Amino acid sequence: MKIHDDKSDGASLKPNLFISDLHLCASRPHSTAAFLHFLQSSATQARALYILGDLFEYWAGDDDVDDAHHQSIIAAFRQLANAGVNIYFMHGNRDFLISEIFCNAANITLLQDPTLITLSGKRILLSHGDDLCTDDVAYQEFRRQVRDSAWQKDFLSQPLPSRKSRIEAIRLRSEHEKSQKSAEIMDVNQDAVAHLLKAYSYPEVLIHGHTHRPHQHHIQLDGHDITRWVLGDWYEHGSYLLCDENGCESIALTN
Ligand code: LP5
Ligand code: MN
């Protein structure tokens, strides 16, 4: 269990923003433009920005950091960090190969999945969310393989173009398999959610992404009232969750 505790730093009136599932790639310039605008506008007013995975459509390894599209995003992160905003990133199922080189270049801090934070006295548990989709047995098997450190070492030893081709093949297969799976199978499993919440002693709030089903769920668990926020994706229009001492609200981007 990793506790990441944000103490009051004199900026407690500033909100904390949470986003996930941007799936940024050079072939979707509209999403990238919306994100860069967000980093230069709303995000500058925040105390912290938490990115809960799938920032990129995929990440083939930190040796791809020099790519022009990646560099444009890194430069915007650095600018935001220099303006005093703490930026945190958690791996998603598409960009779990992001490592120190990217994080250092972008001036962001890598968080474990899950991570518990405390904001305005409230305990908030953060996760990407794919680990909670336990009914998706084929995905969980795939996940076990690719999260294995020996597998990753071997994969990263291959040339970047070969890695990208392998990822393209997996993406095609994943899209095909998803078309055969029911919506229920690809959602979080309620027992897995309950198990996680119990393991973290019933935090007031759970925030995750991955399922692309933005919603505010109210959970009653062993006498505790818990809110589960599911973040939206940025395919069409982006959105973010804003949390301050008054609570959380989901905000849709207008551009
Ligand atoms: O991302 P999303 O929401 O579209 O779909 C996910 C699951 N799919 C994936 C795959 C990624 O989308 C694409 C690849 C990401 C690149 C990672 C980089 C490093 C890995 C390189 C591997 C060569 O995560 C999808 C879920 C869905 O979420 C909902 O939860 O259903 O899962 C799948 O569709 C996976 C298939 O069911 C199983 C695929 C088995 C492929 C086995 C190939 C052999 C193994 C190769 C080496 C491990
Ligand atoms: Mn995901």
Side-chain angles (χ1 to χ4, degrees):
M1 181 187 304
K2 187 173 160 79
I3 308 273
H4 171 82
D5 198 356
D6 275 302
K7 300 268 186 294
S8 174
D9 55 3
S12 59
L13 293 177
K14 289 188 169 183
N16 298 279
L17 309 185
F18 300 85
I19 55 175
S20 71
D21 302 285
L22 294 96
H23 292 249
L24 300 179
C25 59
S27 58
R28 269 199 301 274
H30 176 78
S31 296
T32 300
F35 184 54
L36 294 178
H37 178 71
F38 167 76
L39 292 181
Q40 286 153 10
S41 54
S42 316
T44 62
Q45 305 306 310
R47 186 199 67 80
L49 171 66
Y50 292 87
I51 305 161
L52 302 186
D54 289 357
L55 171 64
F56 293 109
E57 179 71 4
Y58 69 81
W59 190 259
D62 274 10
D63 49 344
D64 204 14
V65 82
D66 296 328
D67 166 87
H69 178 252
H70 297 158
Q71 280 295 321
S72 67
I73 292 157
I74 287 168
F77 277 139
R78 289 196 76 81
Q79 199 181 347
L80 184 66
N82 287 339
V85 179
N86 298 307
I87 311 172
Y88 300 100
F89 170 76
M90 180 179 282
H91 287 147
N93 58 297
R94 288 164 171 260
D95 50 16
F96 57 84
L97 289 176
I98 282 183
S99 196
E100 293 84 21
I101 294 174
F102 173 81
C103 292
N104 291 341
N107 214 344
I108 65 181
T109 303
L110 188 62
L111 298 178
Q112 308 276 339
D113 183 356
T115 284
L116 187 70
I117 62 172
T118 307
L119 298 177
S120 307
K122 271 200 178 141
R123 289 172 311 126
I124 303 182
L125 188 59
L126 309 177
S127 178
H128 178 58
D130 58 320
D131 207 19
L132 298 169
C133 299
T134 53
D135 295 328
D136 194 342
V137 176
Y139 169 65
Q140 293 300 334
E141 176 56 30
F142 170 72
R143 187 181 196 277
R144 260 187 295 280
Q145 262 189 287
V146 298
R147 297 300 181 101
D148 177 74
S149 56
W151 183 89
Q152 289 187 5
K153 194 164 175 242
D154 176 64
F155 183 71
L156 290 170
S157 72
Q158 298 165 26
L160 183 58
S162 320
R163 273 178 269 149
K164 288 188 174 179
S165 329
R166 285 190 69 189
I167 291 172
E168 290 300 342
I170 294 285
R171 287 172 75 203
L172 282 176
R173 180 152 168 195
S174 172
E175 286 309 312
H176 172 72
E177 293 205 12
K178 283 197 302 181
S179 71
Q180 315 285 310
K181 295 177 189 173
S182 69
E184 291 72 35
I185 279 181
M186 291 190 285
D187 202 354
V188 297
N189 173 290
Q190 297 308 326
D191 291 341
V193 171
H195 187 264
L196 179 69
L197 293 171
K198 275 184 206 178
Y200 279 83
S201 306
Y202 309 98
E204 284 89 347
V205 181
L206 166 64
I207 304 175
H208 71 82
H210 182 65
T211 61
H212 302 206
R213 299 173 209 207
H215 197 68
Q216 180 184 14
H217 299 266
H218 298 286
I219 302 173
Q220 278 255 321
L221 183 64
D222 302 337
H224 299 266
D225 290 320
I226 299 166
T227 305
R228 175 168 73 92
W229 283 98
V230 185
L231 303 172
D233 64 59
W234 284 50
Y235 280 135
E236 296 293 329
H237 297 284
S239 62
Y240 60 95
L241 188 69
L242 182 153
C243 297
D244 60 19
E245 58 275 14
N246 300 316
C248 299
E249 66 172 317
S250 177
I251 297 176
L253 296 183
T254 45
N255 57 338

